[in-house]
Amino acid sequence: MIGLTTRDLHELYDVRLLLEHFVLERLSEVNHESLITKLEQSIDQMNMATKYDDYVQFAYQDLRFHELVIIEAGHKRILRLWESIREIILAALLITTEKRFRDDKEAVMPLIEQHHEMIKALKSQNIERIQDEVKRHFEDTRNTITASLVNEA
């Protein structure tokens, strides 16, 4: 256990949702082909990690995907906020990803698909679609992490 209560986890994911929601909305205003290429490479690495049963690499690539979006925004204060929660997020991702790989490795495929959908939403430059995908992804992630960490306690 990483020393967080269920409330702490919910608050952490509230902060992540706010940060990424804001950043993706800002990014929707212009085309970001280089970012999209990097995000697709990160998903490719998630697929490779799944193939080789490497939950650590999968978790790092999941984190990297979201970090790339935040970095691309070029907003120094948002980046500082992200950096202040990054290690806790990584710890939670490592725990839950290991559990997914151990208990039901096929459960990572919908997670990969959610990342694809976030890229499609970003490409569409449609703010409502981006909001929907970010919210959907974070609700799923929040529920999985909360369930995994509470069950591990």
Side-chain angles (χ1 to χ4, degrees), residues 47-88:
N47 279 314
M48 189 68 69
T50 302
K51 179 178 178 182
Y52 289 102
D53 219 18
D54 186 349
Y55 76 88
V56 173
Q57 183 63 20
F58 188 99
Y60 275 106
Q61 290 303 321
D62 191 349
L63 182 78
R64 181 175 181 268
F65 181 97
H66 296 279
E67 193 165 64
L68 286 167
V69 170
I70 289 169
I71 290 168
E72 181 76 11
H75 194 295
K76 288 189 290 189
R77 296 212 180 352
I78 294 286
L79 184 57
R80 281 195 200 133
L81 285 170
W82 168 259
E83 289 169 347
S84 74
I85 62 173
R86 183 185 191 278
E87 296 306 314
I88 298 167

Side-chain angles (χ1 to χ4, degrees), residues 6 8 21 25 30 33 37 46 54 58 67 86 88 118 127 135 151:
T6 301
D8 292 333
H21 190 272
E25 276 189 15
V30 284
E33 279 307 312
T37 298
M46 285 184 214
D54 186 349
F58 188 99
E67 193 165 64
R86 183 185 191 278
I88 298 167
M118 289 176 70
I127 290 177
K135 186 175 180 185
N151 289 341

Side-chain angles (χ1 to χ4, degrees), residues 9-10 13 92-93 95-97 99-100 107 111 114 137-151:
L9 289 169
H10 283 287
Y13 274 81
L93 282 172
I95 291 167
T96 56
T97 305
K99 184 173 174 28
R100 277 183 173 154
L111 182 60
Q114 287 173 12
H137 178 66
F138 276 92
E139 285 303 311
D140 285 352
T141 303
R142 178 197 311 252
N143 292 338
T144 301
I145 285 182
T146 301
S148 294
L149 294 178
V150 167
N151 289 341

Side-chain angles (χ1 to χ4, degrees), residues 8-19:
D8 292 333
L9 289 169
H10 283 287
E11 289 178 1
L12 179 67
Y13 274 81
D14 287 343
V15 172
R16 275 193 70 188
L17 175 61
L18 290 170
L19 290 177

Side-chain angles (χ1 to χ4, degrees), residues 32-44 61 64-65 68 71-72 119:
H32 293 276
E33 279 307 312
S34 65
L35 171 63
I36 289 168
T37 298
K38 291 175 191 171
L39 295 175
E40 289 170 344
Q41 289 168 348
S42 187
I43 291 173
D44 289 345
Q61 290 303 321
R64 181 175 181 268
F65 181 97
L68 286 167
I71 290 168
E72 181 76 11
I119 290 173

